[in-house]
Amino acid sequence: MKIIFSVVAAFLVAYSAWEFALYRHHLKFVPDAMDVWWVDYALEESWGFGPGGNEAGIIVFDMPVKIKQHLVGSGLNWLEGMPPNGRSGWQGRY
């Protein structure tokens, strides 16, 4: 019984670690200054391998109300004035 419990516990820990790492990866696509902390929905698929392989997906984030108000009021000017992103791996522009 202890062995089964240990295997199940190890599986749950590994699964939780994977899900947390994936969650953090999804948040890397959003600028820090937008204060987004929740992923509402994510679906990604890939097929093929190497050069010519394909990836497709969608990630939906929950945007805070204050950020929505900034975007409605200032639009692209607000986005262009945001500070550089602190998360590692961010390569895009706002």
Side-chain angles (χ1 to χ4, degrees):
M1 188 65 161
K2 287 183 182 180
I3 293 174
I4 293 173
F5 178 74
S6 298
V7 169
V8 170
F11 175 78
L12 289 175
V13 168
Y15 180 75
S16 297
W18 171 256
E19 287 295 320
F20 181 73
L22 192 58
Y23 173 78
R24 295 297 302 161
H25 170 71
H26 289 152
L27 286 180
K28 283 184 179 180
F29 294 106
V30 181
D32 285 337
M34 293 185 87
D35 294 327
V36 171
W37 64 274
W38 187 253
V39 177
D40 278 337
Y41 178 79
L43 178 64
E44 299 174 291
E45 296 289 333
S46 63
W47 57 96
F49 59 92
N54 295 301
E55 293 185 12
I58 184 169
I59 304 171
V60 179
F61 303 96
D62 188 21
M63 185 181 295
V65 174
K66 69 177 184 172
I67 302 303
K68 291 176 189 174
Q69 291 170 346
H70 285 303
L71 288 173
V72 168
S74 302
L76 289 177
N77 291 330
W78 183 79
L79 289 174
E80 291 171 351
M82 286 198 304
N85 202 18
R87 291 190 182 119
S88 63
W90 173 255
Q91 301 296 322
R93 295 183 345 176
Y94 303 145

